Amino acid sequence: MKRNDENMDSNEDCSLNSESSSVPSKDPVQVFCRLRTLPEDCQSCVKLISPTTLTLTASSKIGRKEYNYVFKHIFTSYARQRQVFEHVALPLLEDLIKGKNGLLLTYGVTGSGKTYTLTGEPSMPGIMPLCINTLFNSIADYQAQKFLIKSDRMNGFEVQGENDALKDRLLEVKMSTTKMKTVKRGGGDVKNNYENDGTKLRCVNENNLYAVFISYTEIYNNTVYDLLDETSGKVLQAKIIREDSQKRMYINGVVEVEVKSAADAFELFCTGQKRKRMGHTVLNADSSRSHSTFNIRVVQLQKDRSQLMMGQLSLVDLAGSERCSRTQNTGMRLKEASSINNSLMSLRTCLEILRENQLNDANKLVPYRDSRLTLLFKNYFEGEGNIRMIVCINPSIEDCEENLQVLKFAEMTQDVKIPKAESGYTTYKYKTPSKTTKQTPSIQAPATSKIKKVAPFGPKIPSVKLNMENPQENIVVLDSLIKVLHARRQKRERNRQELTKRERHFRKHLLHVHQESVLNKSEIRRLKALLKKEKQTNQKLNIKITDLETSNENFSANTKELQDTIRTLQNTIDEKNMKINQNRLEREKAKQKFALQSEMMSQELDDKLRKQRARLHAAMLAKEAKIQKVKEVLESDAMFACASKQEVEAPVQSEIKIVQETTSSATTVPARRHRRSRSAGEVWLEHNAIKPVALGTVLQPSMKKRKSVSKLKKASDVTNPRQNKYCLLAQEADAGGELETKLYKGDIVPTCGGGAQVIFNDVECLRQESPTGTRAPSTPSRK
Ligand SMILES: Nc1ncnc2c1ncn2[C@@H]1O[C@H](COP(=O)(O)OP(=O)(O)OP(=O)(O)O)[C@@H](O)[C@H]1O
């Protein structure tokens, strides 16, 4: 029944192949999503819409935004490990037993549950232990004897004879006994106690003999290491990725161990796990610092031993992408993180280019060689087998931004279509066991085949029967016997000589072989030393390359950061320039506004000034009229003054009272007035009455520089620019007949028409009174 299934399957493959002989059919990469359980106090940024759709809510400065993502299937945080295994890994395991290849990747942010999904715990086994248990449950009764199928260390397998296999088994037993003697093994730390529920696959071909091979490798800082390599001691040796004769990538010299039980496989896993680079980070106490690949190869030998078929399942636990700002990594951890992120970026780039090529029907070169990770799995992307990916998501709100990137990548990956493997089986030629292996392992002389068969020891000895009755006859018989014996003796002698000759020849040959062997041994020693030296150089160069690559990456990251800073600074400068220009424009506008305002104000002021001038001019005219009047009064008084001169000149004991009336110029004079220059001091224009009454010593105003006139005859008397003060002396009799002398003082102010105006700002008054007050009203008195 199972056989029929398989035939059907292969027929199906054949029909598919014949249908699509021109255009190879392609399958998309199947991407699944698994949500991790969230602590109770944590807020989730992921909402499940359906078993295939989820919504991620991202909050940013701009606001909240929702993104929808669709996957083949989404496992909630309640999904059990077995559920994930059955959905994702079981189909790959079935393919494996049919000789097909499969790649299963776990991808996600650090601490999102990739290792948990792939490895799990003893009570909750993950995909790897479930695969191993299911595989051995299914093939347990159909296993080939150990070492019958052997890795050729060049990515292939060969079949060896029963005797060779037996020898290898004996050697293994011997070595394990020695190992047990020398190495104290703590049996407790081997975790081979993963729960086994006895699940079996249905598609096992009962006619075949199966052999399972395990290899466990890691890519750390973009260098490949073999986690099962015990020859290199504590420090793992870097391995090289090579291409085999069928252009398949493989790790050169990787240790592939044939296992006969699940326990053996788990023991190997634990051995490798101890060597795997794990580290403590802020986000995960047991963080994988490398991408690890647990490789299961199942080789089937047909019963007639004519063909071998091989299938391979690679379980890859990718290291988590991490943002250095969150992990706060420094030193080695930072270098690891940078290498992890770079290799994940390479994976992303390769898948993006593959998708681009498929969408645009282009043939852009996919940069598989950019990273060891992409180089190792190159064949899968080119159609060597099925690819499935589990995207692990920690729905915590802190992981939101990184999850967004992961989900974007996962969504894009689903669009990548991988060509179907042309045949489910990879067929290897059966290597007929060498003749020597069929012979018993006895020691053979090297020249045996060349030696001629040794001749019998002469003629056969005849049977002798003596006749006692006829002695003559006996003599004849004995003679012939002697002859035979003689011949045999001669023959023996010849044989001995031949033997000696051959012995000598053999010795000579042996000596030659020994010499050759010694020479070969020394040559091997020399070559070994050379190889060791080469290896050391190679290792040093690898370290150097890794260092250089890391520094190059750091340098690129720095350059990028600097470019970002420059861009930010440029933006700031642009913004500032814009502000400066804006300010300049505003200032320009303000200037114009101010100029307009000042023009308006100056116009207003001019208007006001004009009005003020007009008012002052009017006032001046009024004053001039008044002065004219005063002048006329003075002139009319002059007559009277002459008449009373006698009387006035007589010494009079009188009380002189000087009343100084000061008029505040501020009240009469406008604030803005152009006075004549006073640099030369005050220069007075003293305008006296024509014949003033003599006053004696009183009321002598202090005027150092003055010009006295009794009559203003011409305008230049006042407009003379050297004069800035004006003083008018006027005398008149009051109602009581007393004489009153007044000094009208003022400033000479130039007018805009080129003339001058006098602004009176001070009046000094001298009144003379008789102490008795009995003076005739006609008598003038001084005041
Ligand atoms: N679905 C789950 N249910 C319960 N516990 C989980 C689940 N997923 C993850 N964990 C727990 O979360 C922790 C981190 O998980 P794990 O080590 O698998 O993360 P990771 O993605 O492999 O991280 P890194 O990339 O740093 O190696 C572990 O203690 C694990 O037990």
Side-chain angles (χ1 to χ4, degrees):
M1 182 66 196
K2 278 173 195 167
R3 185 74 191 144
N4 288 346
D5 282 353
E6 196 179 299
N7 286 341
M8 263 170 61
D9 203 61
S10 44
N11 286 342
E12 208 176 89
D13 281 350
C14 288
S15 65
L16 274 174
N17 286 340
S18 57
E19 257 176 49
S20 54
S21 54
S22 52
V23 185
S25 64
K26 289 178 179 177
D27 277 337
V29 175
Q30 294 189 6
V31 182
F32 299 80
C33 178
R34 186 180 197 188
L35 303 178
R36 212 194 98 169
T37 38
L38 204 61
E40 271 177 21
D41 54 331
C42 266
Q43 242 188 313
S44 172
C45 62
V46 175
K47 206 168 85 187
L48 204 69
I49 307 290
S50 74
T52 56
T53 315
L54 63 79
T55 302
L56 184 124
T57 312
S59 306
S60 67
K61 284 174 197 164
I62 315 158
R64 284 156 68 90
K65 210 170 171 194
E66 291 195 338
Y67 301 88
N68 281 345
Y69 295 98
V70 181
F71 295 104
K72 179 115 180 109
H73 188 83
I74 299 168
F75 300 100
T76 64
S77 50
Y78 302 107
R80 285 175 301 116
Q81 296 276 58
R82 172 149 281 281
Q83 222 174 316
V84 180
F85 163 73
E86 280 171 6
H87 257 82
V88 188
L90 199 59
L92 291 179
L93 201 63
E94 280 168 355
D95 280 353
L96 175 71
I97 217 90
K98 288 178 196 164
K100 291 181 184 174
N101 297 333
L103 171 69
L104 176 60
L105 302 151
T106 52
Y107 181 82
V109 179
T110 179
S112 57
K114 298 180 292 296
T115 311
Y116 179 82
T117 302
L118 217 55
T119 312
E121 289 158 11
S123 57
M124 278 174 285
I127 286 173
M128 184 280 293
L130 286 171
C131 279
I132 292 288
N133 275 333
T134 313
L135 184 64
F136 280 102
N137 290 343
S138 315
I139 62 159
D141 300 332
Y142 314 106
Q143 291 200 65
Q145 278 201 318
K146 204 166 184 181
F147 300 122
L148 189 66
I149 301 164
K150 230 181 149 183
S151 160
D152 64 0
R153 294 211 147 211
M154 282 189 298
N155 206 30
F157 289 94
E158 58 189 23
V159 180
Q160 61 178 350
E162 300 279 354
N163 281 343
D164 286 343
L166 181 70
K167 260 201 277 176
D168 282 347
R169 283 200 292 275
L170 285 172
L171 197 70
E172 193 197 28
V173 173
K174 204 173 153 189
M175 273 171 69
S176 62
T177 342
T178 333
K179 206 174 163 189
M180 274 171 79
K181 273 181 197 164
T182 49
V183 182
K184 247 193 173 181
R185 287 174 68 184
D189 58 350
V190 179
K191 292 180 198 164
N192 51 7
N193 50 349
Y194 288 105
E195 267 181 21
N196 185 359
D197 59 1
T199 313
K200 281 185 182 180
L201 295 169
R202 281 174 296 144
C203 45
V204 177
N205 187 342
E206 291 167 7
N207 295 322
N208 286 352
L209 290 173
Y210 291 85
V212 179
F213 292 85
I214 300 288
S215 62
Y216 194 19
T217 54
E218 72 170 358
I219 300 172
Y220 175 73
N221 282 348
N222 206 26
T223 308
V224 184
Y225 296 99
D226 185 353
L227 297 173
L228 303 181
D229 186 4
E230 291 189 332
T231 55
S232 51
K234 279 189 179 175
V235 183
L236 292 176
Q237 296 277 319
K239 300 278 171 187
I240 303 163
I241 298 174
R242 282 210 177 138
E243 204 172 55
D244 68 6
S245 55
Q246 291 172 43
K247 293 209 172 297
R248 281 181 309 226
M249 306 313 293
Y250 73 100
I251 301 168
N252 185 44
V254 72
V255 175
E256 268 196 298
V257 183
E258 187 180 0
V259 284
K260 290 290 161 200
S261 68
D264 285 354
F266 297 146
E267 198 175 326
L268 280 179
F269 174 74
C270 290
T271 310
Q273 198 67 6
K274 278 181 212 154
R275 295 196 179 121
K276 190 182 159 185
R277 310 307 144 126
M278 303 291 284
H280 179 93
T281 66
V282 174
L283 301 180
N284 189 0
D286 270 328
S287 180
S288 312
R289 310 311 296 160
S290 61
H291 310 297
S292 62
T293 308
F294 190 79
N295 219 32
I296 309 167
R297 295 223 272 184
V298 175
V299 187
Q300 306 177 41
L301 178 63
Q302 286 186 341
K303 213 157 203 182
D304 61 358
R305 303 200 175 182
S306 59
Q307 276 190 317
L308 277 177
M309 290 165 278
M310 193 274 290
Q312 167 173 310
L313 175 60
S314 303
L315 303 174
V316 183
D317 182 7
L318 292 175
S321 58
E322 47 189 67
R323 263 193 310 168
C324 300
S325 56
R326 274 191 74 203
T327 50
Q328 295 158 20
N329 284 335
T330 51
M332 197 175 74
R333 290 273 172 273
L334 187 67
K335 189 177 160 187
E336 286 167 357
S338 136
S339 169
I340 292 168
N341 290 342
N342 282 338
S343 53
L344 292 176
M345 184 51 84
S346 296
L347 178 66
R348 202 175 169 145
T349 312
C350 287
L351 287 168
E352 270 171 1
I353 293 176
L354 270 174
R355 189 183 62 154
E356 206 180 300
N357 282 350
Q358 285 163 8
L359 288 177
N360 306 331
D361 206 12
N363 199 16
K364 209 168 153 186
L365 188 79
V366 186
Y368 293 117
R369 288 197 175 270
D370 278 5
S371 141
R372 301 281 189 285
L373 179 70
T374 46
L375 184 64
L376 189 59
F377 301 119
K378 173 180 172 247
N379 301 115
Y380 283 103
F381 298 118
E382 290 180 343
E384 175 115 311
N386 279 328
I387 303 180
R388 290 184 171 209
M389 183 189 277
I390 303 176
V391 177
C392 296
I393 298 289
N394 177 8
S396 149
I397 211 147
E398 283 86 38
D399 277 18
C400 180
E401 215 174 296
E402 282 148 296
N403 281 337
L404 197 70
Q405 302 304 321
V406 168
L407 288 169
K408 259 188 207 166
F409 167 65
E411 196 177 44
M412 183 273 294
T413 306
Q414 291 186 109
D415 295 341
V416 179
K417 289 197 174 115
I418 304 297
K420 265 190 180 173
E422 279 201 353
S423 162
Y425 294 86
T426 316
T427 308
Y428 295 85
K429 274 196 182 138
Y430 175 71
K431 190 185 168 195
T432 37
S434 62
K435 277 183 182 170
T436 49
T437 56
K438 277 193 168 178
Q439 288 166 359
T440 44
S442 56
I443 303 159
Q444 294 174 357
T448 321
S449 56
K450 285 183 186 172
I451 298 170
K452 285 179 240 158
K453 257 194 166 182
V454 179
F457 299 109
K460 215 176 167 188
I461 300 171
S463 57
V464 179
K465 238 182 182 181
L466 293 175
N467 191 352
M468 292 305 205
E469 288 164 12
N470 190 0
Q472 205 59 39
E473 198 182 308
N474 282 348
I475 289 169
V476 174
V477 169
L478 283 174
D479 266 352
S480 67
L481 180 67
I482 287 165
K483 270 181 194 167
V484 167
L485 285 174
H486 192 69
R488 282 180 70 92
R489 205 180 70 180
Q490 277 180 347
K491 184 74 185 167
R492 198 190 64 192
E493 195 55 36
R494 273 205 305 275
N495 281 350
R496 204 179 54 80
Q497 279 171 6
E498 176 74 25
L499 211 66
T500 317
K501 195 177 145 198
R502 285 187 186 182
E503 193 186 319
R504 223 178 298 122
H505 182 261
F506 179 69
R507 272 179 191 280
K508 206 173 151 191
H509 182 76
L510 206 64
L511 208 67
H512 179 68
V513 168
H514 177 71
Q515 276 172 352
E516 244 179 30
S517 147
V518 169
L519 279 175
N520 281 345
K521 270 184 186 165
S522 78
E523 180 65 10
I524 286 168
R525 254 199 311 277
R526 193 184 66 80
L527 284 173
K528 266 187 182 168
L530 208 71
L531 192 71
K532 200 176 167 188
K533 217 172 161 186
E534 287 288 309
K535 265 187 185 171
Q536 278 170 353
T537 322
N538 206 9
Q539 206 177 340
K540 272 181 197 164
L541 282 173
N542 270 338
I543 292 168
K544 232 180 197 173
I545 288 169
T546 317
D547 283 351
L548 282 173
E549 273 173 358
T550 318
S551 56
N552 195 19
E553 279 153 18
N554 289 345
F555 181 69
S556 319
N558 279 348
T559 315
K560 216 173 170 188
E561 256 175 42
L562 282 174
Q563 277 172 349
D564 284 348
T565 319
I566 289 169
R567 222 171 292 128
T568 320
L569 285 174
Q570 196 66 49
N571 285 344
T572 321
I573 289 168
D574 286 350
E575 267 174 30
K576 288 214 165 141
N577 276 345
M578 251 169 65
K579 265 187 190 162
I580 289 168
N581 280 343
Q582 248 176 7
N583 283 348
R584 203 178 290 151
L585 274 172
E586 273 170 19
R587 227 181 307 139
E588 221 39 55
K589 268 186 195 170
K591 237 184 196 174
Q592 281 176 2
K593 204 174 162 187
F594 179 73
L596 209 74
Q597 275 179 351
S598 67
E599 202 176 317
M600 275 165 65
M601 270 173 68
S602 75
Q603 266 181 8
E604 251 174 55
L605 281 174
D606 277 355
D607 284 353
K608 273 185 187 169
L609 194 67
R610 223 176 295 119
K611 279 177 192 168
Q612 188 81 13
R613 271 188 193 148
R615 231 184 359 255
L616 285 173
H617 190 65
M620 201 178 71
L621 285 176
K623 275 192 180 168
E624 267 177 6
K626 242 183 186 175
I627 290 164
Q628 194 58 39
K629 253 185 185 174
V630 170
K631 220 191 255 176
E632 280 166 15
V633 170
L634 286 174
E635 274 170 7
S636 66
D637 281 356
M639 300 292 292
F640 168 74
C642 273
S644 57
K645 192 181 176 183
Q646 209 80 40
E647 196 181 337
V648 173
E649 276 176 357
V652 179
Q653 289 294 319
S654 61
E655 190 187 295
I656 298 166
K657 188 181 171 187
I658 300 166
V659 181
Q660 194 169 20
E661 288 172 22
T662 310
T663 319
S664 167
S665 62
T667 52
T668 51
V669 184
R672 284 176 69 219
R673 205 169 291 278
H674 303 284
R675 288 173 183 274
R676 283 213 170 132
S677 164
R678 288 184 180 169
S679 56
E682 287 176 347
V683 181
W684 289 86
L685 175 65
E686 191 185 23
H687 190 179
N688 295 323
I690 296 167
K691 285 178 181 163
V693 179
L695 295 174
T697 54
V698 271
L699 201 75
Q700 289 300 316
S702 161
M703 287 181 273
K704 283 180 187 158
K705 290 181 185 173
R706 66 177 160 187
K707 179 188 172 190
S708 297
V709 291
S710 54
K711 202 168 184 180
L712 293 168
K713 286 178 188 160
K714 31 189 197 266
S716 63
D717 286 341
V718 183
T719 57
N720 185 352
R722 286 173 56 210
Q723 291 160 174
N724 50 18
K725 289 279 184 185
Y726 178 83
C727 176
L728 174 68
L729 181 101
Q731 287 179 329
E732 56 189 344
D734 64 2
E738 296 293 338
L739 187 68
E740 196 179 52
T741 304
K742 277 187 181 170
L743 289 178
Y744 291 92
K745 288 184 180 172
D747 290 321
I748 300 171
V749 178
T751 63
C752 56
Q757 59 179 329
V758 178
I759 296 178
F760 291 98
N761 50 20
D762 196 7
V763 179
E764 283 179 27
C765 188
L766 175 73
R767 185 175 288 150
Q768 278 183 311
E769 280 176 1
S770 164
T772 55
T774 52
R775 282 189 68 167
S778 57
T779 320
S781 65
R782 293 189 178 181
K783 198 175 182 180

